[in-house]
C-alpha cells in the first residue's frame, strides 16, 4: 500500500526521487503522457524507509541497482489534484544495465544542459539544488 491518502483538504502523496549521476551528467526520464522530464522515482510504500523505496523503485523502473550517495533535498509542491512531498537522493549506478521498463525516454544531461528540457514543477526545485 502506497503512502498516499485523501483528507478533506485534498490528496497527499509521499514520493522519492533518485538523482542518478555519473559525476558529470544526470539521468532524466519521461513518458508519453506529457512533455515534462523528471528524476526517476516513485511512491513510498507503507512500512518502507525512503531509502528502501528508492532502491525498489529504480529496480522496478530501470532494472538496475543504484547506490545512495547522499540526501539532496525534500521538495513539497501543490499540484492541482494532490500535495506532493518528495525526498530526493543523489545516487550512482550500481550493477546492471539500464532498461526502460516504465518510461518512454531517458537521457543523460550534462549539468550545463539541465535547463534545456521542460521539468515537472516539483522537479524544477530538485534541479535548482544540483551543483554538479
Amino acid at each position: 500500500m502506497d503512502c498516499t491518502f485523501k483528507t478533506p483538504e485534498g490528496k497527499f502523496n509521499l514520493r522519492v526521487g533518485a538523482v542518478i549521476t555519473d559525476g558529470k551528467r544526470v539521468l532524466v526520464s519521461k513518458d508519453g503522457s506529457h512533455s515534462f522530464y523528471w528524476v526517476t522515482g516513485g511512491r513510498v510504500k507503507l512500512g518502507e524507509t525512503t531509502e528502501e523505496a528508492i532502491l525498489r523503485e529504480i529496480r522496478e523502473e530501470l532494472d538496475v541497482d543504484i547506490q545512495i550517495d547522499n540526501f539532496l533535498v525534500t521538495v513539497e509542491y501543490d499540484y492541482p489534484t494532490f500535495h506532493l512531498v518528495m525526498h530526493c537522493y543523489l545516487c550512482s549506478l550500481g550493477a546492471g544495465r539500464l532498461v526502460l521498463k516504465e518510461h518512454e525516454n531517458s537521457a543523460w544531461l550534462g549539468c550545463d544542459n539541465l535547463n534545456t528540457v521542460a521539468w515537472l514543477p516539483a522537479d524544477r526545485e530538485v534541479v535548482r539544488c544540483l551543483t554538479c
Side-chain angles (χ1 to χ4, degrees):
M1 175 185 293
D2 294 336
C3 290
T4 299
F5 56 88
K6 293 181 182 176
T7 71
E9 292 81 29
K11 188 174 176 185
F12 172 85
N13 196 338
L14 178 60
R15 298 181 67 90
V16 288
V19 180
I20 301 172
T21 178
D22 66 1
K24 301 175 204 156
R25 302 173 300 166
V26 174
L27 183 69
V28 300
S29 302
K30 73 182 290 273
D31 65 20
S33 65
H34 51 72
S35 60
F36 295 108
Y37 280 84
W38 60 79
V39 297
T40 304
R43 290 188 176 104
V44 177
K45 293 192 180 294
L46 195 61
E48 271 185 325
T49 66
T50 54
E51 292 88 352
E52 291 167 338
I54 198 72
L55 296 173
R56 176 187 50 75
E57 284 288 344
I58 298 306
R59 268 188 243 108
E60 288 175 3
E61 296 182 12
L62 300 176
D63 201 27
V64 70
D65 290 325
I66 58 169
Q67 176 177 327
I68 299 171
D69 298 319
N70 290 302
F71 172 77
L72 179 63
V73 65
T74 296
V75 173
E76 288 199 44
Y77 191 83
D78 284 314
Y79 283 101
T81 59
F82 65 95
H83 178 77
L84 169 79
V85 173
M86 181 169 63
H87 301 290
C88 298
Y89 296 86
L90 289 171
C91 302
S92 50
L93 286 176
R97 184 172 170 229
L98 285 174
V99 176
L100 299 180
K101 295 170 80 175
E102 297 184 15
H103 302 93
E104 177 184 287
N105 188 19
S106 72
W108 286 97
L109 294 181
C111 291
D112 26 342
N113 292 323
L114 291 174
N115 291 318
T116 63
V117 299
W119 290 94
L120 283 173
D123 290 71
R124 287 182 206 137
E125 298 298 319
V126 177
V127 171
R128 279 194 262 277
C129 292
L130 293 175
T131 56
C132 296

